[in-house]
């Protein structure tokens, strides 16, 4: 087995180039049925399609043929949580935080430049249809056998069934009582399985979409809210392996194996040290004894598991121990797994933004059977898939007229259409002199010998411990042997004629392109990647070749410099600095303290001796703050030799502006709206991104201990504990200065651990006593946002779940509770509690979360907390609490839009009466509050229709 992590498979903000780009989480990966491509979805709201040959072949990676990146799809407006190819290979389905499912179709005319970036799509994919119906994040999608159906699930607790051909919605299944985070199909086509945060796996009949079974036992003590619960059905149809299951009252993390028809879970895969997020079966069945014919007693399967402990394990069901355990190959949890159709390659996506690839030899996965054997075995179930809609098919009519390459030809890079002698021909970009001092890019065919040698590209690889035979490296001879052996097992490739294989794509070497930042003006670049036939003349006024600015001559270089706009300090070279602590400052203005400690002396002995006094940051020679997602840096330099201090805004390798300060810099912060620097003399300067001062210099009297910013809000906490918060855009204070000593002064409170600020200016202060505080300007008081005490009994405490996921993907409140993670207290679990302990703490926790999400201005989390609160009230049958909540959301009976009576019809940007509809839907499904829900649903309907009330 060989393991590799291609460093060039990355999701990042492509708005600006960066030598060391910040990786964003990859949530999903899936292999195309022909094995030539993979699709990945990530936090950048993009889908990226990559060629697999450079991943699996070092020679292909170094030569750049075929291109590594094939396409980037940008229609989603939120993080892409799932991507799945159809079995036919013609369509790609994706689900996103934007509440939609997108189905993509190949479009040969959609190639070209990705709008707003320097990326080029080698092949084109267009959105075929946007499937709308979910009211929250879409977490998983799956195609049924034969692509007859497409199922999607999401955080709205709904399961949607779509026709796999017309893409019309057929059915909505809403019997789950929690977020649905995994879906898979029976390979026979008879059943559908879904897994939810309600701690159940539900099995649905595909004949009438009724509920066949509900499996609860292995999930009763599972963590309340993992990122995904991705489950998988074995290729022989006998078992489902479900993630996020536990044994021993929740302290042993397992994957549960559910048996078909009996729907019981008597088998567990034990070994992971944290929650299992995803299970994925190898698409092949395996023979226990290859010499014996296929039969039920001679069949086993191979399944891979990915977990929050950052490890991947591969199991064969005939063995009690895993075949492979890969530990410490990722820095964060595993989000998705996908096997290639030949069953020899496993792809793993992690939230650390990397992709891991496990490539097995055929001998390591002993007893692999053909897909023909599998189809023959599945026929024994006697289930017939429903007929296709009339006039619909995934097989294009013109495919029979297009010859299809064998996989061995594709993997070796030869195409019989290129020449009678099988010499590889590629298209390269060559610059030629054209009139008017411009260069035009011409596509010319050349032999492989004429292609310039490309630089070696390092590949991150690691050996993985396994109980399989020793690892082996990838080599062409063995790989070709595997491909030839699996040709009879490959799926129907008739779709391959509809779009070119990556080997047929024009060759674009990104290392030969010039850097746009090196030129002081934009470049017009329209690479005609669809012009594969160079015999076509460029005529009739059609622009088939792009022009770029010719900067090769000395004269044009001088002209470019002459028209380049000047910036303050733009000629200062960008240098690499190593921060060092400064013990003494050479140049100090008269009356200013010579050292940071002297501030305490000036503030008086009370401040100096107070245990609550905050420590200022050390005085360093260099400080910097990076603008997230762009690579731009706001930096400060304290030059010890001559006692000068300057700040500068750097973009790429260019200094955009600089300024000099009268006092040493202690802290810097940059956001998408401003740059701020705090100085030793207690003053703060705020600049725009062009270097203009947005506010007068703020004089706080004492140096800052902490400075944080978010969009237009800036927060500073001084060494004496005074907290200041401003709205830079409006140039106003969000509230008068307040002291953090109230919450971090003396026992039972403790010292301040960290602090942050929200976009609305609300501070978040984390103390060592396990409580996170915020200041509510409306109440003029500090309030508790989260308290670790809720973990003692709340059913919805998620401190130890999602601890490694990003804030952008899970919300600020979930991030706060996740930061307060702790190991499970087994003693507390066994401690005797009063009768109503858990119920009281759960309700108190959810009510606190409602107030906190409202203060933090997190509408999505407020809505989720409201629905969980309503469900808890309904489950307990607390009619009084339920009726009070309904009246609070409904408001005055006589209220109408536009009426001024002091009642606010919205909360956290959400309509209260829209929230009431959702709450009443929850009550209506309960056994105890159905009548209450029916009564108020009627009143709400009449109020919406503007009917008169008595």
């Amino acid at each position: 087995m060989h393991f590799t992590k291609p460093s060039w498979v990355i999701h990042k903000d492509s708005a600006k180039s960066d030598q060391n780009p910040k990786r964003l989480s990859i949530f999903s990966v899936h292999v195309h049925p022909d094995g030539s491509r993979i699709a990945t979805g990530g936090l950048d709201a993009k889908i990226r399609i990559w060629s697999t040959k450079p991943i699996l072949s070092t020679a292909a990676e170094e030569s750049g043929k075929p291109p590594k990146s094939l396409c980037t799809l940008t229609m989603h407006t939120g993080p892409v949580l799932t991507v799945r190819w159809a079995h036919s290979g013609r369509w790609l389905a994706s689900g996103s935080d934007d509440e939609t499912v997108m189905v993509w179709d190949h479009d040969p005319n959609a190639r070209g430049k990705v709008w707003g970036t320097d990326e080029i799509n080698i092949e084109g994919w267009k959105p075929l249809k946007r499937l709308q119906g979910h009211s929250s994040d879409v977490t998983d999608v799956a195609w049924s056998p034969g692509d007859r159906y497409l199922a999607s699930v999401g955080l709205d607790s709904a399961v949607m069934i779509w026709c796999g051909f017309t893409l019309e919605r057929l059915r909505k299944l809403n019997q789950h009582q929690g977020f649905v985070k995994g879906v898979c199909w029976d390979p026979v086509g008879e059943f559908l399985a879904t897994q939810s945060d309600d701690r159940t796996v539900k099995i649905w009949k595909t004949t009438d979409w009724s509920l066949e079974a509900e499996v609860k036992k292995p999930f009763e003590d599972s963590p309340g809210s993992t990122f995904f619960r991705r489950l998988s059905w074995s290729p022989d149809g006998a078992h489902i392996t479900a993630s996020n299951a536990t044994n021993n009252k929740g302290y042993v993390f397992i994957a549960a194996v559910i048996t078909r028809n009996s729907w019981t879970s008597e088998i567990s895969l034990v070994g992971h040290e944290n929650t299992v997020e995803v299970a994925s079966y190898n698409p092949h069945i395996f023979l226990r004894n290859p010499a014996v014919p296929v039969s039920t007693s001679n069949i086993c399967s191979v399944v891979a598991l990915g977990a929050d402990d950052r490890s991947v394990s591969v199991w064969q069901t005939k063995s009690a121990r895993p075949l492979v355990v890969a530990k410490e190959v990722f820095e964060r949890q595993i989000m998705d797994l996908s096997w290639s159709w030949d069953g020899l390659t496993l792809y793993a996506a992690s939230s650390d933004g990397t992709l891991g690839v496990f490539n097995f030899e055929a001998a390591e996965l002993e007893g692999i059977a053909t897909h023909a054997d599998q189809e023959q075995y599945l026929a024994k179930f006697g289930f017939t898939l429903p007929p296709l809609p009339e006039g619909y098919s995934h097989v294009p009519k013109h495919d029979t007229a297009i010859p299809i390459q064998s996989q061995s030809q594709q993997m070796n890079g030869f195409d019989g259409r290129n020449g009678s002698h099988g010499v590889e021909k590629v298209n390269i970009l060559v610059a030629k002199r054209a009139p008017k001092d411009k260069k035009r890019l011409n596509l010319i065919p050349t032999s492989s010998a004429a292609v310039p040698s490309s630089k070696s590209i390092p590949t991150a690889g690691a050996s993985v411990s396994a109980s399989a035979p020793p690892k082996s490296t990838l080599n062409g001879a063995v790989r070709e042997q595997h491909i030839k052996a699996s040709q009879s097992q490959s799926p129907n490739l008739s779709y391959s004629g509809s779009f070119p294989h990556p080997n047929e794509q024009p060759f674009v070497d990104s290392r030969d392109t010039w850097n746009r930042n090196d030129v002081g003006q934009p470049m017009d670049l329209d690479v005609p990647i669809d012009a594969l036939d160079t015999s076509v003349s460029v005529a009739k006024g059609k622009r088939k070749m792009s022009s770029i600015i010719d900067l090769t001559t000395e004269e044009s270089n001088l002209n470019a410099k002459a028209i380049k706009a000047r910036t303050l300090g733009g000629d200062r070279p960008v240098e690499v600095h190593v921060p060092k602590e400064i013990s003494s400052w050479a140049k100090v203005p008269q009356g200013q303290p010579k050292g940071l400690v002297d501030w305490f002396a000036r503030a008086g002995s009370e401040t100096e001796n107070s245990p609550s006094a905050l420590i200022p940051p050390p005085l360093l020679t260099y400080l910097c703050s990076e603008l997230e997602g762009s690579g731009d840096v706001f930096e400060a330099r304290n030059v010890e030799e001559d006692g000068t201090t300057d700040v500068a805004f750097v973009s790429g390798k260019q200094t955009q502006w600089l300024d000099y300060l009268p006092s040493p810099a202690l802290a810097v912060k940059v956001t998408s709206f401003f740059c701020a620097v705090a100085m030793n003399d207690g003053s703060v300067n705020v600049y725009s991104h062009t270097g203009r001062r947005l506010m007068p210099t703020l004089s706080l009297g004492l140096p800052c201990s902490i400075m944080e910013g978010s969009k237009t809000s800036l927060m500073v906490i001084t060494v004496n504990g005074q907290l200041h918060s401003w709205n830079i855009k409006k140039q106003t204070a969000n509230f008068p200065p307040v002291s953090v000593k109230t919450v971090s002064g003396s026992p039972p409170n403790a010292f301040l651990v960290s602090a942050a600020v929200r976009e609305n200016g609300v501070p978040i202060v984390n103390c060592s006593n396990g409580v996170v505080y915020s200041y509510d300007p409306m109440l003029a008081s500090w309030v508790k946002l989260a308290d670790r005490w809720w973990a003692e009994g709340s059913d919805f405490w998620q401190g130890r779940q999602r601890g490694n996921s990003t804030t952008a993907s899970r919300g600020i409140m979930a991030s706060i509770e996740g930061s307060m993670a702790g190991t499970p207290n087994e003693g507390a679990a066994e401690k005797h509690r009063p009768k109503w302990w858990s119920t009281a703490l759960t309700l108190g926790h959810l009510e606190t979360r409602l107030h906190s999400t409202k203060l933090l201005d997190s509408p999505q989390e407020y809505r989720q907390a409201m629905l969980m609160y309503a469900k808890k009230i309904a489950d307990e049958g607390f009619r009084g609490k339920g009726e009070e909540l309904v009246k609070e959301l409904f408001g005055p009976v006589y209220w109408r839009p536009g009426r001024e009576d002091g009642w606010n019809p919205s909360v956290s940007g959400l309509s209260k009466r829209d929230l009431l509809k959702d709450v009443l839907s929850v009550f209506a499904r309960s056994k105890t509050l159905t009548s209450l829900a029916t009564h108020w649903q009627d009143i709400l309907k009449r109020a919406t229709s503007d009917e008169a009330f008595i």
Side-chain angles (χ1 to χ4, degrees), residues 27-38:
F27 294 120
S28 186
V29 60
H30 202 237
V31 193
H32 192 276
D34 70 1
S36 64
R37 299 158 170 78
I38 58 170

Side-chain angles (χ1 to χ4, degrees), residues 742-758:
T742 305
V743 295
S744 65
S746 59
N749 298 313
F751 58 86
L752 188 148
V753 176
S754 62
V757 65
R758 287 287 285 168

Side-chain angles (χ1 to χ4, degrees), residues 3-81:
F3 174 80
T4 184
K5 289 177 74 176
S7 58
W8 43 268
V9 175
I10 183 173
H11 282 252
K12 63 182 180 66
D13 187 347
S14 57
K16 301 230 178 189
S17 60
D18 192 354
Q19 296 297 328
N20 296 304
K22 180 180 179 180
R23 292 181 177 273
L24 300 180
S25 295
I26 299 177
F27 294 120
S28 186
V29 60
H30 202 237
V31 193
H32 192 276
D34 70 1
S36 64
R37 299 158 170 78
I38 58 170
T40 58
L43 186 60
D44 57 355
K46 296 178 182 178
I47 301 165
R48 298 181 183 269
I49 300 176
W50 314 87
S51 175
T52 57
K53 188 176 179 183
I55 297 175
L56 303 177
S57 170
T58 305
E61 183 184 31
E62 292 178 349
S63 67
K65 303 187 294 289
K68 299 179 180 69
S69 176
L70 299 179
C71 189
T72 301
L73 309 178
T74 59
M75 289 290 289
H76 280 296
T77 58
V80 180
L81 302 181

Side-chain angles (χ1 to χ4, degrees), residues 406-478:
S406 67
Q407 287 193 10
S408 59
Q409 287 175 325
Q410 293 170 346
M411 293 298 288
N412 284 287
F414 291 95
D415 186 345
R417 290 173 286 180
N418 286 338
S420 59
H421 299 291
V423 178
E424 181 182 6
K425 294 185 178 181
V426 297
N427 294 293
I428 63 173
L429 303 179
V430 177
K432 285 191 173 183
R433 179 70 61 185
K436 298 182 181 179
D437 294 331
K438 288 188 177 182
K439 285 185 179 180
R440 294 188 178 272
L441 302 180
N442 293 329
L443 288 169
I444 63 171
T446 179
S447 65
S448 58
V451 179
S453 61
S454 56
K455 299 176 183 178
S456 174
I457 303 175
T459 303
S463 299
V464 185
S465 62
S467 56
K471 68 171 185 176
S472 60
T473 57
L474 300 175
N475 63 74
V478 176

Side-chain angles (χ1 to χ4, degrees), residues 596 615-626 634-638 645-648 661 663-670 674-687 700 703-709 714-719:
L596 294 174
I615 304 300
L619 185 59
L620 303 175
T621 57
Y622 178 77
L623 306 95
C624 70
S625 175
E626 183 176 350
F634 182 53
E635 61 181 23
R637 298 191 309 170
N638 296 314
T645 298
D646 62 73
V647 290
L661 305 178
S663 180
L666 286 182
V668 292
K669 184 64 182 180
V670 61
F674 66 85
C675 308
V677 54
M679 290 171 273
N680 187 34
D681 62 359
S683 57
V684 177
N685 279 0
V686 183
Y687 304 90
L700 307 182
C704 86
S705 176
I706 298 174
M707 182 168 69
E708 292 292 339
L714 173 66
M715 180 192 73
V716 174
I717 302 178
T718 58
V719 292

